[in-house]
Amino acid sequence: MCIRDRRRFFVYPPEPPKEILMGNPTDSIFLAKTKIMHVPFYWDFKKLLNPHIAVIGITGTGKSYLVKTFLTRASLIWNTNALIIDWVGEYKEWVKQTKGKVVSLGKGDRINLMDLAGMKPLDRVKQVINAFEILTDLGESSSQKRITEKAIENAYKRKKFKLAEKHQKLKPPVLKDVIKELEKEVEKETSPRKIEEIKECLYRLKKFTIKGNDYFSGRSTLDIKKLITSGLVCLDLHGLPSEQIRSLVGLTVLQFIKEMMRDEDWQPEKGIKLFVVADEAWKIAQDERSDLITIVREGRKYQFGLVVASQNPTDINKAIFSNVGTIFSMRLLLKEFKDYMQKSLNYSNFIAEEINKFGVGESAVYQAFYERTNFPHIFLLDKIIGEEPLRIYK
């Protein structure tokens, strides 16, 4: 009589091999041990298609702790700069503790929407129009879009800018100059319908120049170049009065970063020059016209990385979600979000069940490896072994 051996063997390894998971501590970032084989996991962007990261999980699961740990170690290992676009003021105290720089918009600091950041005025006109299309109803009327675009062009011409040339020394116009151009058009126009359209354009722009909302109507007090080369920087937006204004700041800063990124030279000895962090930035992460997508698509060749974090995976545009090299999936509650993640990453029911059991700091990790592999791309991590918050004792 033959007795069958009922013992189970792993047909495929449950995790990537240790030579993939482990890395050189002086050139990769340790985050945790794997849940099944307890192998130390080091994040090494050189093994991946790109250095971009998405972190998904409900409030309290450890998203921010993971991001803070990651940025701290990136700074220690590669001297990497980081710019955190902080929607809710969650990072500013931590950045202060680490002796980083906190910039609180709404408390005196301003960004001139018309700054060029080394661009040609005509290119900047298109970016400003793009931002207003994302955040307002400008895109619904082609004639109002063209009226606004022409007013911005005229504002540059009035300052002696040639639209097709780059200008470094001339001072750019401000948003109030664009409003003056529209007001002149109202005075010249004779058609009631056209006057009404110009007034609609005026109403749309004046909302950003009235007292209390005039963060874009004067000369810039911020040097974006300094912000992305000054170590750890938190751009604190939580003091701004509306989601629309916070998003306009975020989009404008990202547009400037994108242009500066393209001016950078690749340096073989450098790890990652800059991580841009967008946490709960759903308004600018959802739209396919956002410059977050450009950074995702082009950032690797300039040694720029993006970290985007959200409670809701559907808040992140698919163009971003499908192009990040690493996804950390922490605990989720809603079934629709769980199903979305499982379908997107094509993981097993076993992984899905484990994610349902996660405590604080535990995560499933998906990585898109640079070379063809015969091992799982998604695996489980024990609790993130992070940098503890600083405490002052008296």
Side-chain angles (χ1 to χ4, degrees):
M1 179 177 172
C2 177
I3 300 175
R4 294 180 181 273
D5 188 346
R6 296 181 180 274
R7 288 177 297 174
R8 294 183 180 179
F9 294 91
F10 288 120
V11 178
Y12 296 103
E15 299 170 352
K18 63 181 181 181
E19 58 267 24
I20 295 294
L21 289 168
M22 297 180 70
N24 179 352
T26 65
D27 197 30
S28 56
I29 297 174
F30 171 69
L31 288 172
K33 291 184 177 180
T34 61
K35 202 170 188 66
I36 296 175
M37 309 298 283
H38 306 293
V39 177
F41 167 58
Y42 285 78
W43 184 86
D44 184 352
F45 74 95
K46 294 181 295 300
K47 298 175 183 176
L48 305 172
L49 288 175
N50 62 63
H52 310 306
I53 297 171
V55 186
I56 309 298
I58 60 172
T59 300
T61 53
K63 293 195 307 296
S64 299
Y65 185 69
L66 190 159
V67 173
K68 291 170 184 176
T69 294
F70 184 88
L71 295 179
T72 300
R73 291 175 181 162
S75 176
L76 292 171
I77 292 166
W78 298 310
N79 198 29
T80 301
N81 299 296
L83 176 63
I84 304 168
I85 304 176
D86 189 359
W87 249 249
V88 295
E90 186 173 356
Y91 290 87
K92 70 172 187 176
E93 292 304 321
W94 172 72
V95 170
K96 285 179 183 177
Q97 288 179 339
T98 59
K99 304 301 181 185
K101 181 179 178 65
V102 175
V103 177
S104 295
L105 279 169
K107 296 182 179 179
D109 283 312
R110 282 177 168 74
I111 294 178
N112 181 9
L113 206 61
M114 310 290 285
D115 276 348
L116 292 173
M119 287 174 273
K120 295 176 182 178
L122 195 58
D123 294 332
R124 184 63 193 140
V125 171
K126 292 174 182 175
Q127 288 188 343
V128 173
I129 291 294
N130 186 55
F132 281 124
E133 279 193 279
I134 293 172
L135 300 175
T136 71
D137 60 352
L138 179 62
E140 295 176 10
S141 171
S142 58
S143 60
Q144 290 181 27
K145 177 181 173 181
R146 181 57 198 146
I147 289 167
T148 306
E149 192 171 2
K150 186 180 177 183
I152 297 173
E153 290 174 1
N154 288 340
Y156 280 111
K157 288 177 182 177
R158 193 81 60 184
K159 292 286 183 178
K160 303 189 185 312
F161 282 84
K162 293 181 181 178
L163 296 178
E165 296 179 8
K166 289 187 178 182
H167 298 266
Q168 302 296 336
K169 295 181 180 179
L170 294 174
K171 286 186 177 180
V174 295
L175 201 54
K176 287 180 179 178
D177 293 322
V178 179
I179 289 172
K180 287 177 184 176
E181 294 298 327
L182 289 171
E183 288 171 341
K184 289 175 187 174
E185 289 300 313
V186 170
E187 292 174 4
K188 289 192 300 184
E189 189 56 57
T190 56
S191 165
R193 185 182 64 82
K194 200 69 177 279
I195 290 172
E196 195 60 37
E197 285 192 321
I198 299 170
K199 285 184 176 179
E200 187 64 33
C201 297
L202 272 167
Y203 172 75
R204 189 182 287 112
L205 296 188
K206 278 185 174 180
K207 288 192 295 185
F208 298 103
T209 62
I210 59 177
K211 192 172 182 180
N213 284 358
D214 55 343
Y215 310 105
F216 311 100
S217 57
R219 300 286 170 206
S220 288
T221 60
L222 298 181
D223 184 336
I224 304 298
K225 187 73 173 178
K226 276 188 178 179
L227 287 186
I228 65 173
T229 56
S230 299
L232 185 60
V233 177
C234 174
L235 185 60
D236 177 23
L237 306 183
H238 91 283
L240 297 175
S242 70
E243 182 66 26
Q244 189 183 50
I245 289 176
R246 285 189 285 272
S247 297
L248 186 53
V249 173
L251 281 171
T252 303
V253 169
L254 287 170
Q255 288 168 347
F256 292 157
I257 288 173
K258 180 190 72 176
E259 297 306 321
M260 292 172 186
M261 176 182 77
R262 287 172 170 170
D263 286 339
E264 290 281 335
D265 294 324
W266 187 78
Q267 299 172 5
E269 75 281 0
K270 184 81 173 175
I272 302 293
K273 295 176 184 176
L274 173 72
F275 276 111
V276 179
V277 180
D279 194 339
E280 299 301 341
W282 61 270
K283 189 76 174 177
I284 62 174
Q286 276 183 334
D287 200 285
E288 61 186 10
R289 297 162 294 186
S290 171
D291 286 278
L292 284 176
I293 293 173
T294 306
I295 292 173
V296 161
R297 287 176 173 161
E298 300 181 18
R300 180 186 175 93
K301 59 187 175 186
Y302 303 111
Q303 291 158 291
F304 280 45
L306 172 69
V307 180
V308 57
S310 179
Q311 299 175 41
N312 177 357
T314 61
D315 278 348
I316 301 173
N317 188 279
K318 288 182 180 179
I320 298 174
F321 204 61
S322 61
N323 280 288
V324 293
T326 306
I327 298 173
F328 292 94
S329 181
M330 308 181 102
R331 190 174 178 185
L332 296 167
L333 287 183
L334 293 183
K335 185 178 185 303
E336 63 180 288
F337 297 162
K338 295 177 185 178
D339 291 345
Y340 179 86
M341 291 297 292
Q342 186 171 8
K343 186 177 179 181
S344 299
L345 301 182
N346 193 29
Y347 52 72
S348 66
N349 289 333
F350 167 75
I351 295 286
E353 289 167 7
E354 289 298 307
I355 291 174
N356 285 337
K357 301 173 190 173
F358 278 167
V360 176
E362 296 178 311
S363 175
V365 183
Y366 169 85
Q367 293 200 294
F369 293 102
Y370 187 77
E371 297 181 351
R372 184 176 176 178
T373 61
N374 293 317
F375 49 77
H377 283 230
I378 190 160
F379 52 97
L380 303 173
L381 290 182
D382 267 332
K383 188 173 182 179
I384 300 298
I385 301 173
E387 304 297 329
E388 292 301 320
L390 301 175
R391 299 275 193 265
I392 297 175
Y393 293 96
K394 294 183 181 178

